Amino acid sequence: MTVYRRAPQLFIEWHGPDMVLVDTASLQRFRANPTVLDLLSRLDAWKPVDALDSDEGPSVRASLDRLVDLGLLERSEDDVEANGRGPALDLWSPYELAMHRLVSAGGYRGDAEVLRNGTAPSLRKPRAEGEVVKLPKADPQLSISLSDALEQRRTIRTYGERAMTLAELSTLLHYAARITRMRHDETLGDEALHTYPTSGARSELEVYVVANDVAGLPNGAYYFDPIEQTITHLEAADEEGRQALLRNMHGAAGGLLNRDPQVVIVITAVFGRIMWKYRDIGLVMIYKDTGALLQTLYLVSTATNLAPCAIGGGNEMATTRWLGLDPLVEAQVGCFLVGVPDNAS
Ligand SMILES: Cc1cc2nc3c(=O)[nH]c(=O)nc-3n(C[C@H](O)[C@H](O)[C@H](O)COP(=O)(O)O)c2cc1C
């Protein structure tokens, strides 16, 4: 028997007064007339044509087959998927599909549009209020070679008892996250080059240090200035929020942490810096850049004998608000635990 079902990857969006169906698997858009919407609403589970209770008989079947060809419905004959997409689609949510497909559809907004949109957003945050801590000089050289760091790099989730030193924190941030050079482009404004790459040199990532056990540093949240190499204490980020973040990190690490990590690094993105230049692909670029920063943090941690662990999830909205940020302007996109490994003296 032939049965039909609404394709699971559809979105509905408004284009002016029109309701438009988006097939996120192909990014094709279709004007959604009331008849089609009614059919799709009723086909929320596998059903034969008869179940649609329509007087139009064979013509309904032809309409359904047409919707299958367009990717808006799925058809199954004797339990065999007949529309060619198959079970691989079940892995995807429509959100993921849309974002992935947009990588081919989006791109550079183009000079004219960029210029029309006004001046380039600043790559520097306004100076945060709070006590500024100048970090001690970083080690002038990392003690192991790149090939050794790559060979030895491991995720470590158990920490020693001692506090991290400010010098260790400083060396980590100096090699993994600082800006090494600024340059200026007439159209695109300032561009910043870090020790890790960022898409289009937009430098959209920011680094916050959550100190939980760093010698000489009161516990709390700090903003890392990637040029001055200072950290500024964010006094509004309270103790309750720090404890909530730590509980969240213990959960995300699957209960494997033997104690609070000496430091949690929260990576945020200032969305406007990159979305201003790129249409539809900004978020994906941010995630790729975050991966580049995470790997750099891993390698430098390994080279400085610190225990690294990236964290994929996290309560991004709560942490973002705790840091005093507007989640639509700048929000958490990554987390990284780093501590003194339990074999370190
Ligand atoms: C982007 C990313 C997210 C990760 N998220 C988590 C996480 O949420 N919790 C965790 O315990 N480990 C997390 N990890 C660590 C991985 O589990 C770890 O890298 C993996 O097991 C491979 O081990 P290795 O890093 O020693 O090669 C993450 C790693 C990456 C790169």
Side-chain angles (χ1 to χ4, degrees), residues 153-155 157 252-254 294 298 309-313:
R153 186 207 60 78
R154 279 285 68 85
T155 292
R157 300 181 184 84
L294 286 173
Y298 258 109
C309 179
I311 294 292

Side-chain angles (χ1 to χ4, degrees), residues 224-236:
F224 171 62
D225 185 318
I227 290 183
E228 306 286 331
Q229 296 188 58
T230 55
I231 51 174
T232 302
H233 190 205
L234 306 177
E235 278 144 25

Side-chain angles (χ1 to χ4, degrees), residues 108-109 114 118-125 179 181-194 196-206 268-278 281-282 285-286 289:
Y108 183 38
R109 288 186 191 273
V114 166
T119 49
S122 167
L123 302 187
R124 299 278 288 153
K125 281 168 69 74
I179 289 176
R181 192 151 73 85
M182 294 291 295
R183 65 180 187 208
H184 189 80
D185 178 278
E186 254 183 42
T187 308
L188 299 169
D190 284 341
E191 295 177 334
L193 306 177
H194 292 252
Y196 60 93
T198 64
S199 318
R202 297 309 303 154
S203 182
E204 78 282 6
L205 302 181
E206 296 283 359
T268 65
V270 182
F271 300 105
R273 290 183 195 162
I274 198 155
M275 290 174 175
W276 171 81
K277 179 174 176 186
Y278 297 110
I281 56 170
M285 293 299 137
I286 288 168
D289 292 345

Side-chain angles (χ1 to χ4, degrees), residues 55-344:
D55 305 332
E56 292 167 44
S59 74
V60 174
R61 183 164 186 148
S63 309
L64 295 181
D65 286 338
R66 171 90 183 110
L67 291 175
V68 170
D69 291 343
L70 294 174
L72 301 176
L73 279 186
E74 292 181 332
R75 184 178 56 218
S76 173
E77 326 250 3
D78 300 327
D79 287 341
V80 178
E81 298 264 350
N83 66 351
R85 283 186 170 152
L89 192 57
D90 294 345
L91 293 172
W92 293 84
S93 80
Y95 303 98
E96 288 176 310
L97 262 176
M99 216 167 97
H100 184 61
R101 288 288 120 83
L102 280 172
V103 177
S104 341
Y108 183 38
R109 288 186 191 273
D111 286 2
E113 197 177 336
V114 166
L115 286 172
R116 262 204 309 282
N117 284 349
T119 49
S122 167
L123 302 187
R124 299 278 288 153
K125 281 168 69 74
R127 197 169 281 276
E129 280 184 26
E131 195 188 332
V132 179
V133 179
K134 192 160 171 39
L135 293 170
K137 265 209 158 349
D139 282 354
Q141 198 100 52
L142 290 175
S143 57
I144 65 174
S145 67
L146 177 59
S147 41
D148 285 344
L150 287 161
E151 288 294 325
Q152 292 169 23
R153 186 207 60 78
R154 279 285 68 85
T155 292
I156 301 170
R157 300 181 184 84
T158 49
Y159 309 106
E161 279 174 20
R162 80 161 167 86
M164 188 185 289
T165 65
L166 258 187
E168 285 170 324
L169 179 63
S170 173
T171 298
L172 175 66
L173 296 172
H174 174 82
Y175 287 105
R178 82 180 192 280
I179 289 176
T180 48
R181 192 151 73 85
M182 294 291 295
R183 65 180 187 208
H184 189 80
D185 178 278
E186 254 183 42
T187 308
L188 299 169
D190 284 341
E191 295 177 334
L193 306 177
H194 292 252
T195 46
Y196 60 93
T198 64
S199 318
R202 297 309 303 154
S203 182
E204 78 282 6
L205 302 181
E206 296 283 359
V207 164
Y208 294 81
V209 172
V210 181
N212 308 308
D213 190 7
V214 179
L217 201 59
N219 287 348
Y222 296 79
Y223 168 70
F224 171 62
D225 185 318
I227 290 183
E228 306 286 331
Q229 296 188 58
T230 55
I231 51 174
T232 302
H233 190 205
L234 306 177
E235 278 144 25
D238 61 9
E239 179 58 17
E240 205 183 315
R242 189 178 71 89
Q243 291 300 337
L245 173 71
L246 284 171
R247 277 196 300 279
N248 199 256
M249 294 295 110
H250 278 274
L256 295 173
L257 308 181
N258 64 331
R259 51 157 285 179
D260 293 342
Q262 280 82 352
V263 164
V264 178
I265 288 182
V266 178
I267 303 167
T268 65
V270 182
F271 300 105
R273 290 183 195 162
I274 198 155
M275 290 174 175
W276 171 81
K277 179 174 176 186
Y278 297 110
R279 178 177 37 81
D280 287 343
I281 56 170
L283 195 57
V284 172
M285 293 299 137
I286 288 168
Y287 292 158
K288 291 179 183 187
D289 292 345
T290 304
L293 173 53
L294 286 173
Q295 170 70 339
T296 312
L297 284 164
Y298 258 109
L299 289 178
V300 179
S301 299
T302 306
T304 44
N305 195 26
L306 292 173
C309 179
I311 294 292
N315 192 344
E316 62 94 19
M317 196 85 130
T319 309
T320 298
R321 293 226 163 90
W322 177 64
L323 293 172
L325 306 170
D326 173 347
L328 283 179
V329 175
E330 178 182 352
Q332 175 194 308
V333 290
C335 271
F336 183 80
L337 313 180
V338 60
V340 176
D342 52 5
N343 63 1

